[in-house]
Amino acid sequence: MSAIDEIKAAVSTVLKEKYDYDHPAEEVLINETRSEFEGDYTVVVFPFTKALKMPPPKIADELGQELVRSHDFISSFNVIKGFLNLTFEKRFWKGELQKILTDKDFGRTSKNGKKVLVEFSSPNTNKPLHLGHIRNILLGWSSAQLLEAAGYDVVKTQIVNDRGIAICKSMVSYQYFGDGKSPEEADKKGDHLIGEYYVRFEKEFRKEYKTWQDTAAAKKIYEDHRKVGEKEEYFFSRYKNTYFNEYSVLGKHAKDMLLKWESADEEVIALWQKMNGWVYDGFNETYENLGVHFDHIYYESDTYKLGKVLIAEGLKKGVFYKEDDGSVWVDLEDVGMDRKLVLRSDGTSVYMTQDLGTAQIRNKDHEVNRMVYVVGDEQDYHFKALFAILKKLEEPYADELFHLSYGMVDLPTGKMKSREGTVVDADDLIADVIKEARESSESRGEIEGVTAEERNEIFRKIGLAALKFFIIKVSPKKRMIFDPKESVDMQGQTGPYIQNAYVRIQSVLRKSDGIEHVSDAEYKELEDLEVDLIRTMSQFPQVVTEAAEQLDPSNLANYCYALAKLYHRFWHDLRILSAETEVAKVFRLKLSKSVAKVLKSGMHLLGIEMPSRM
RNA sequence: GGUUCCGUAGCUCAGCUGGAUAGAGCAGCUGACUUCUAAUCAGCAGGCCACAGGUUCGAAUCCUGUCGGAAUCACCA
């Protein structure tokens, strides 16, 4: 039991025994004492005033006396208005430090025997990953790490959208303009190569559309179908999809390609496999650079037909109903939503059909207790509906579904738009931050002694820390503004700032070889900053647990920053190797070592690695 | 239009199960390296917590309404 829980219980007991007042321990409000007051933790006694019919300071005083009397580790208290500030014994904090130091799994909860599946990234195979994917991947990876630390077995997965008209556009475009070149021959990453042909298709299509707009046939359509007073420009913008489907030559090629793919045409399938293979090679390189991996990848080309059986069963159960045209629907009005299509009238799958089937097969594959979907908030409604349907179908995991919804990433100039070429490419971004880290490091010259290979590894860790921390520190559900200039900052509230605290500790530990085995038992008068550090570290398990429960890595990120900040101050104000006494030195080495340990494991849960020099 | 989310310093963000005088970083200005890595530290300045009501001992936090921004409401994914 943590000190906080112990105090809560004690307060509850005292209230009962002394005043015969029932106040559950969990509801006792206890905060860290604000730095301007004396104390470690503060009990807020205002909530008891009504029941006890006593002024708050009097309650606080009596409670304080009782707590000091009954708990050895509480040394003193003071009262300010309705706030009871408690100060703990220094030796209590030394004991806490010892626990942190010796617990190999500090901050981790033992296995709970449950399994959770986390879906993230889930790209389309017609273009490379971009900044939006990076936020998704960081959230997904970190959530998976957090759940594992909280005792779950975790399956990291994604669903790859590897089929459909978009991919066919890339394929058609490649056939036209690709000269059969492989990524090696074109000297490009596979995903980038395919992305270029996708863009090329759109460009050629727009050209074709523009030319067509000047034909007599187009003019006639405009005259016949335009709304009153509608300008040509607006009409044709609205008409684009119809043109693609009914008149476009390129559009016909793409649609033919899709039909052939669906009928498993050998040539088309071969091309599709070849091109997707290139894309996967490209994605894997990006994932590797980001330091993430997956346990089981699902592909839409395998799963898009799944779910039909589930629909049939649901029809039998009466969960779904069939319209006259053969389409199948679910009525979600009882749970505050609309009716939703789950199968087209021609019997083919929609997005929902597929997601229902995918959920089911994932459970068959892994027998999970929970599923977490990391998907942007533009799909909030879809997931709400998906979960409601799975619940109606009484799937065993249906009560433990969570959509980790996050806001879009905007640029200082506004939204990212692929059409306007303002999308920030993931690989470019990663390369940029590493380059920036290199320049920054070289101008400092701290690591000139290490090999080129190690240096590159350090640059990579620093650059990625800057990028990742910049994104992960923002609360997921908030839409965020990503300023490329700020993302490579390495000073202040940044990843490298936290790494720097760790690196300083490594440096001092290297220079202190072996000394920390000496006893520090005689070190009794801890400095305030030393207590602050231990107190903050002792909160780590709670922070991890809460971050895992709420699936919100941002509060762990902010915790890591706060701890690093405290350490930097400690470093500045107090000496370690040249401390006043030998026991102070030994104690501070131990303290530093445990700070490094907590920072490293905290950052690890965020997917950020620590260098030992920088 | 219905629903959901967001609105805190010039900028980027914390704080939101109600608790003490609302916190950081960046940008601006001052200062601190013969001393363990200055990617650091200390200080100054910067706020009607969008607005208006309500609930209460107490509201940035909860409720209602208004304004502003976003998303969504497809036989798209």
Side-chain angles (χ1 to χ4, degrees), chain A residues 165 172 201 205 208 243-259:
Chain A
I165 193 73
V172 166
F201 182 95
F205 169 71
E208 182 201 283
Y243 171 76
F244 179 86
N245 286 320
E246 292 176 19
Y247 302 93
S248 168
V249 179
L250 282 167
K252 182 153 184 355
H253 280 306
K255 286 197 309 175
D256 285 350
M257 183 78 84
L258 185 60
L259 286 174

Side-chain angles (χ1 to χ4, degrees), chain A residues 532-549:
Chain A
D532 287 346
L533 278 168
I534 300 171
R535 193 193 312 109
T536 302
M537 283 191 285
S538 73
Q539 294 159 356
F540 181 62
Q542 183 68 25
V543 172
V544 172
T545 309
E546 272 173 29
E549 267 168 19

